[in-house]
Amino acid sequence: MHGLVESMGTLPFTRVDARGNACPIRPLQELVRDYVSHVYRLLRHLGVPSGDLDDACQQVFLVLARRHATINPGSERAFLSSVSARIASRWRRTHRRRNESGNDDVPDQTCAPEPSPEQQLELAEAQRLLLQVLDALPDTQREVFVLFEIEELTMRDISDVLAIPQGTVASRLRMARSQFHQAVAQLNRATPAGRSR
Amino acid sequence: MNPYRVVEQYPRSFEAQLLRAGRAVKAPNATLEVTMSALGLGATAAASASGAAHAKVWSWYGTVSAKWMAVAILAASGAFVATRLHAPSAASVEKTARPSAAPVALADGPERPEWTRAAVTVSKATAPLKATVVETLPPAAPKAARAPHEKPPSGLESADSLGAEVALIDAARRAVDESQGGRALALLRHYDRQFTRPRLAREAALLRARALEQVAHENEAKPASASSSSLSGQNLPGEPQ
């Protein structure tokens, strides 16, 4: 106990976690740097239009900034996933309304990493197709599918993030997979690029 | 018990290829910078985030600027040598120009200072040279006539665009005052697209921060608190800690 008090004295920004260990609170700047790609990717795959991704990202991190002091160390990623899922859901609804009124969104191609131009093009095309396939999934299945297959969260984590039972996560994932396979098969038949693979 | 993941189970399938492409998506630097500045972490964040890129740019800039400095020094020394070759004529022009009336008035006076004697002798000796120098000098009038063409003729245009900028910023401010954060953000996005070199960028940034705050207020609700309480102390896969 004495050691704990001492360690807290030497670390000004420390908190005690569930196990009673002192944990330093990570600076907000560090969290933004570490998780911006995770949040960006999640928002993008959960259907936030490319033109709104920056704003949505900022909103997620503003919520993080407000709750920074109350989030338990080690659960920042889950917290950000949860906020991102909620913001994306809200954005999808708004976007659907906007689409109904005739404003469509242009898919962005900004995420190509360093490799050769051909590889970049291929990757950008795959990313575009993935978004197309994900758009075909119902929102609830899409969330579970993206969190499990792309963000690689466990079933239990997804259940916590989305605040739904694990059984629901499993059933949604099963249905999402089935729909995903169907959509990809359809895409394979429809596009020459798909047929050549 | 977790079910399999498509990427690991069927790594060569088209589905896996698509999902791998999805996993490869990264946030652009601009997003990081904009997010940092929205949180008030701007300058230091941008510096540390794109430190490597900046270092590359600066090293390249250093090389290029060193080369150009060397070229400039060579050119300057060349010009200096050239002017030194024509030194007598330049000196005569300067020396005769300074005491404009004095040489004539003091030409034969006994109390004439030493420097005026020298000036008179130099001016006498270099009279034809002076004429040629004056002839070769560019006339003053064309310079004055050319000046207006060098200035940007877009005074009216810039005033117009400033007016448009002010109008958009005002509209965004009104939206923020009416707590319509979403509308303000849309207006500011339009502003960003419309003006590539905005003059009211600082006002726009401030309004954006206020608008985002309003929208964040709306978003700040239950699932966040639920997850923060239920996930206490858990480490998720792939976390950096």
Side-chain angles (χ1 to χ4, degrees):
Chain A
M1 184 65 190
H2 181 65
L4 176 66
V5 173
E6 270 182 352
S7 68
M8 286 177 76
T10 52
L11 295 168
F13 301 106
T14 53
R15 298 181 62 219
V16 181
D17 69 7
R19 297 178 195 101
N21 301 318
C23 321
I25 294 181
R26 296 178 66 197
L28 188 60
Q29 196 170 326
E30 199 181 307
L31 291 174
V32 176
R33 253 203 318 273
D34 284 353
Y35 293 115
V36 71
S37 278
H38 165 70
V39 168
Y40 181 89
R41 194 168 50 233
L42 193 51
L43 290 168
R44 181 180 153 95
H45 290 135
L46 291 180
V48 175
S50 58
D52 294 340
L53 276 171
D54 281 356
D55 287 345
C57 257
Q58 287 171 35
Q59 287 190 22
V60 172
F61 282 106
L62 274 170
V63 175
L64 175 74
R66 282 175 186 283
R67 301 288 185 87
H68 185 211
T70 62
I71 299 167
N72 288 314
S75 60
E76 294 94 348
R77 189 171 188 243
F79 177 82
L80 288 169
S81 302
S82 170
V83 177
S84 303
R86 194 157 35 85
I87 285 180
S89 158
R90 198 159 164 271
W91 227 286
R92 276 196 305 267
R93 284 199 300 273
T94 317
H95 186 56
R96 230 166 257 148
R97 281 202 296 274
R98 221 191 294 167
N99 267 353
E100 281 160 13
S101 64
N103 295 328
D104 209 350
D105 182 55
V106 182
D108 77 332
Q109 305 284 324
T110 58
C111 305
E114 303 75 46
S116 72
E118 291 79 17
Q119 285 171 324
Q120 284 185 23
L121 192 68
E122 225 171 69
L123 194 62
E125 178 64 8
Q127 285 166 354
R128 193 186 62 78
L129 289 175
L130 175 66
L131 284 183
Q132 198 178 319
V133 173
L134 289 176
D135 279 341
L137 299 181
D139 290 347
T140 50
Q141 293 175 22
R142 179 180 187 158
E143 283 174 348
V144 173
F145 186 80
V146 167
L147 287 170
F148 186 80
E149 294 287 0
I150 299 176
E151 297 306 324
E152 300 176 77
L153 265 64
T154 62
M155 302 282 275
R156 186 178 162 192
D157 297 333
I158 296 170
S159 144
D160 287 336
V161 164
L162 298 177
I164 51 174
Q166 283 195 48
T168 312
V169 175
S171 66
R172 283 184 189 174
L173 181 63
R174 201 170 45 249
M175 286 187 289
R177 266 187 187 157
S178 159
Q179 290 227 14
F180 183 75
H181 287 307
Q182 279 177 18
V184 170
Q186 210 170 354
L187 196 72
N188 245 339
R189 282 194 299 274
T191 62
R195 256 176 267 146
S196 68
R197 284 169 214 275
Chain B
M1 179 67 187
N2 281 313
Y4 67 88
R5 291 184 209 276
V6 172
V7 171
E8 280 96 47
Q9 192 78 8
Y10 308 105
R12 299 178 70 84
S13 65
F14 184 35
E15 284 93 333
Q17 198 177 335
L18 293 183
L19 290 170
R20 269 197 297 273
R23 288 180 185 179
V25 170
K26 283 181 185 155
N29 272 346
T31 303
L32 175 64
E33 284 170 18
V34 167
T35 306
M36 289 284 201
S37 63
L39 295 172
L41 306 169
T44 50
S48 56
S50 55
H54 284 203
K56 273 185 187 175
V57 169
W58 276 108
S59 67
W60 173 83
Y61 178 74
T63 317
V64 170
S65 59
K67 280 179 187 170
W68 279 106
M69 275 179 72
V71 170
I73 288 167
L74 280 174
S77 58
F80 179 71
V81 168
T83 51
R84 291 297 290 178
L85 284 176
H86 295 287
S89 62
S92 70
V93 170
E94 196 178 344
K95 283 180 180 172
T96 51
R98 200 174 353 149
S100 57
V104 180
L106 299 171
D108 298 321
E111 66 281 5
R112 189 178 60 181
E114 192 57 34
W115 68 268
T116 53
R117 274 186 212 155
V120 168
T121 51
V122 169
S123 68
K124 275 179 185 169
T126 59
L129 270 177
K130 194 167 73 176
T132 57
V133 167
V134 169
E135 275 171 12
T136 54
L137 282 173
K143 257 191 185 173
R146 222 175 7 234
H149 294 289
E150 288 164 6
K151 285 182 183 173
S154 57
L156 274 175
E157 284 171 25
S158 63
D160 284 350
S161 69
L162 183 61
E165 278 191 52
V166 169
L168 260 178
I169 291 291
D170 274 348
R173 186 177 292 120
R174 272 198 301 278
V176 168
D177 290 343
E178 290 162 10
S179 302
Q180 296 179 342
R183 189 163 153 260
L185 284 176
L187 283 166
L188 290 168
R189 266 200 304 279
H190 180 64
Y191 175 82
D192 287 343
R193 284 186 201 126
Q194 188 102 356
F195 304 104
T196 47
R197 288 181 188 172
R199 278 162 289 186
L200 302 173
R202 186 169 289 189
E203 285 79 359
L206 279 172
L207 285 172
R208 179 181 287 272
R210 284 180 61 196
L212 281 168
E213 199 179 7
Q214 285 177 0
V215 179
H217 262 304
E218 292 168 25
N219 285 325
E220 196 180 356
K222 52 203 177 180
S225 58
S227 74
S228 66
S229 59
S230 63
L231 292 173
S232 55
Q234 288 176 16
N235 281 323
L236 298 181
E239 274 190 340
Q241 293 93 334

